[in-house]
Amino acid sequence: MTLLPYAIDLVAIALLTFGLYVPRHRRRDLVVAFLGVNAGVLAVCTVLASSAVAVGLGLGLFGVLSIIRLRSTELGQQEVAYYFTALALGLVGGLASSPATAGTLSAFLLVVVWAGDHPRLLRRYRVHLLHLDRAFTDHPTLLAHLEVLLGARVHTADVVKVDHVLDTTLVEVRYELPRVGGATPAEQADRVGVAR
């Protein structure tokens, strides 16, 4: 029995956690979660690898661990992606048919996460939950207010709650910041108004 798949998994989870996640997100509490779940899945899959039903049990383990972890605390979509990648790396390391397969699949997972979570990818796009000090019932008026407030182009604004007693609106906004050196949507609207 070769220890190379375990070494590959160790390098892969270290790169995922300390090379990608920590420098980009700086959330210390999830470091032990990523390392622990990866090591646990790797150990269990190694034991199950000798069984005839290893693949089914491995996928079942993947699902059970996912449900338990995701129900225990609220994670952002980026943390969910890293968490599933840590799980997948453990499965690959424990169940891969050869070190070459383990290395190739681990590298593939790391490249996908590196590219998908790269700071330059869609860097002008944002999502925020805003609590506005005015009750908006007219959607076009809400969109115009958000574009002026954010200085950005609003793509969607989903109203979560409108409180007429407190005169507030809770809204989830997906928007796009203007290009560096470019005019904000409000400035562009002013220019159009001047041209007319």
Side-chain angles (χ1 to χ4, degrees), residues 21-105:
Y21 183 76
V22 172
R24 290 180 179 177
H25 301 284
R26 307 285 181 186
R27 190 170 166 184
R28 185 180 182 275
D29 60 324
L30 286 180
V31 169
V32 69
F34 297 151
L35 297 176
V37 77
N38 176 267
V41 168
L42 178 67
V44 172
C45 287
T46 300
V47 173
L48 295 177
S50 59
S51 170
V53 290
V55 176
L57 286 175
L59 291 175
L61 176 67
F62 184 91
V64 168
L65 287 173
S66 308
I67 292 169
I68 291 171
R69 176 65 186 132
L70 297 177
R71 285 176 61 89
S72 63
T73 185
E74 184 175 339
L75 295 176
Q77 293 304 311
Q78 291 169 323
E79 281 82 12
V80 169
Y82 279 95
Y83 188 77
F84 276 113
T85 304
L87 280 169
L89 288 172
L91 284 170
V92 166
L95 296 176
S97 57
S98 69
T101 303
T104 302
L105 291 175

Side-chain angles (χ1 to χ4, degrees), residues 2 15 73 89 114 125 133 135 145 178:
T2 178
L15 286 172
T73 185
L89 288 172
W114 172 82
Y125 289 82
D133 59 353
H145 177 77

